[in-house]
Structures are given as C-alpha cells and as structure tokens.
C-alpha cells in the first residue's frame, strides 16, 4: 500500500512517498525451507519434490524427513492396523489420515470414529478402531494459514 503526503516548509513544497510492506511471518516451516533450500530456492515450494521420492516438501517437513534425500520417512505399521510416524509440534501443520481401495479415490478417516491417536515425544501413533474396507492408508499434511496482523 502506498501513502503520499505533501508538506510546506517555507522553503518550498516537498512530497514524501511511503510504501507500507506487509510483515512476513517466519513460521517453523518457512525457517525449515530457508535452512534446506537457501542455495536453490526454486526447490523450496511446499508442493515441490526435489528428491523425487513421492513426498512433497510439506510432507517431508511434517514427517521430519530429509527433502533432498530419497530415503523414506520412518513409518511403523503393525498387524493391528497401527501406524506410528514422526510428528512435529508445529501449530501451523495439520495432519490427516486417509484410506483407499485403489490409490485413486481417498476417504478421510475421522478421529474417534475410524481411529484413535496418541501424540508424544515427537511422534504420533494412530490405531484403527473400526474395520475399514480400504487396503491403503496415507498421511496428508496441510499448512494452516496464520494471519500476521488483525484486520482493523
């Protein structure tokens, strides 16, 4: 937003132009992007997958894995349909669990109805509490937008 003002000083008029810049909030994810991609910011986008391992940067961040190494995140799956994975304590990230029969159509699982979760010591564990028809499970991570300033 630009603001312009004209003032008289007795020695002539002058105009002062100001540009107001919206503040930029450094979230933990933004700091992580800067740490991992300072040399090549073109690979820093949340949806980018610079190591081509099938996990975008946001999921790599959410699961605390390396975005430039094609090693999978450390997930543990047990026979009781329990899934354990790293989980950041970052209020700007939301985690969702989905199930599918065909890897094309995904159904969002509901906590309390489809699964129970336990979060402790930097990891999350979900246990399915109802039988699901689907064979495949996945974790989805989403950014939660935080407003920098109150609208006035």
């Amino acid at each position: 937003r630009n603001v312009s003002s004209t003032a008289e000083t007795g020695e002539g008029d002058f105009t002062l132009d100001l540009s107001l810049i919206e503040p930029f909030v450094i979230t933990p994810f933004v700091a992580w992007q800067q740490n991992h991609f300072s040399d090549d910011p073109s690979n820093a986008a949340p949806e980018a997958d610079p190591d081509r391992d099938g996990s975008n940067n946001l999921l790599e961040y959410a699961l605390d894995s390396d975005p430039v190494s094609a090693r999978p995140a450390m997930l543990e799956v047990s026979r009781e349909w329990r899934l354990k994975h790293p989980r950041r304590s970052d209020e700007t990230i939301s985690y969702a669990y989905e199930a599918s029969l065909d890897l094309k159509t995904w159904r969002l699982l509901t906590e309390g109805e489809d699964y129970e979760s336990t979060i402790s010591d930097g990891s999350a564990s979900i246990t399915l509490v109802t039988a699901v028809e689907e064979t495949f499970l996945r974790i989805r991570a989403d950014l939660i937008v935080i407003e920098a300033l109150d609208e006035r």
Side-chain angles (χ1 to χ4, degrees):
R1 186 170 43 162
N2 289 331
V3 177
S4 183
S5 176
T6 302
E8 288 186 33
T9 64
E11 308 225 351
D13 295 345
F14 70 91
T15 301
L16 176 65
D17 289 320
L18 300 173
S19 295
L20 300 176
I21 300 171
E22 296 296 325
F24 183 72
V25 177
I26 303 293
T27 64
F29 178 64
V30 170
W32 179 88
Q33 287 173 301
Q34 291 173 341
N35 184 47
H36 284 87
F37 301 107
S38 61
D39 294 338
D40 188 2
S42 65
N43 284 324
E47 64 280 354
D49 183 12
D51 59 7
R52 296 187 174 115
D53 66 354
S55 295
N56 66 32
N57 284 334
L58 182 56
L59 189 58
E60 298 266 16
Y61 170 76
L63 296 178
D64 199 20
S65 59
D66 188 344
V68 294
S69 174
R71 289 178 292 153
M74 296 302 295
L75 304 177
E76 297 175 28
V77 180
S78 71
R79 291 166 44 174
E80 298 84 24
W81 282 101
R82 181 173 297 127
L83 170 67
K84 185 175 181 181
H85 64 85
R87 180 185 174 111
R88 291 185 179 268
S89 58
D90 177 353
E91 63 189 28
T92 65
I93 301 292
S94 69
Y95 293 80
Y97 305 96
E98 299 174 323
S100 175
L101 284 168
D102 58 8
L103 296 174
K104 294 177 185 173
T105 305
W106 292 90
R107 179 176 70 87
L108 179 65
L109 299 177
T110 305
E111 186 169 9
E113 184 178 318
D114 295 314
Y115 72 92
E116 293 177 352
S117 67
T118 305
I119 301 168
S120 65
D121 297 329
S123 68
S125 179
I126 69 161
T127 304
L128 295 181
V129 294
T130 60
V132 293
E133 297 176 5
E134 297 90 351
T135 306
F136 303 100
L137 294 176
R138 75 177 179 187
I139 303 168
R140 190 182 76 219
D142 294 302
L143 282 173
I144 298 170
V145 177
I146 296 177
E147 295 296 324
L149 293 175
D150 293 328
E151 295 287 329
R152 297 189 196 258

